[in-house]
Amino acid sequence: MTETLELPNGEEVTPEDVFLYNNYPYRFVPETDEGDAFKLSPLYWGDSEMDVPFPDEDALTEQWGDGSRGTLSTEEWEQWLRDARRDERFGEAELDAIEDELSTTERGIVTSLRDALGL
């Protein structure tokens, strides 16, 4: 059985779901070696010191800010990528990798077809 996490906005996510947390795409990781209840792993920087551990869901609720929205639609992820490409905090290689990673999700089918067609 896949573990799930209820986000502060009421959505439930699995480890396969990508969601926006603090203006960055993350995935939920249910088990940690450090003794925390779960962690959030940034899509590009995952499995690094950039993972965010949480002792419980209340701690996530406390850190859930304006830049946290949960799962996004295809159009919303496309807009996030367009905006991020104009933001100097993000590198091109990072955003290319995020776009590739998002292409493994339902949203990515559209992107993969566009890429294949050169659109």
Side-chain angles (χ1 to χ4, degrees), residues 19-91:
F19 55 93
L20 193 66
Y21 170 70
N22 288 341
N23 288 318
Y24 202 84
Y26 279 81
R27 281 201 171 106
F28 155 63
V29 179
E31 298 176 16
T32 70
D33 296 331
E34 297 82 29
D36 294 297
F38 62 92
K39 64 183 175 181
L40 301 186
S41 185
L43 210 54
Y44 181 73
W45 300 103
D47 294 327
S48 70
E49 293 182 18
M50 302 295 286
D51 291 351
V52 183
F54 291 92
D56 53 41
E57 289 183 20
D58 289 337
L60 174 60
T61 299
E62 290 174 16
Q63 293 186 31
W64 190 264
D66 291 338
S68 303
R69 294 192 33 223
T71 58
L72 302 181
S73 69
T74 299
E75 294 80 19
E76 290 170 320
W77 278 122
E78 288 171 352
Q79 183 62 51
W80 183 89
L81 281 164
R82 281 192 299 274
D83 292 344
R85 289 195 186 279
R86 292 188 301 268
D87 188 328
E88 64 187 33
R89 294 176 296 169
F90 302 107

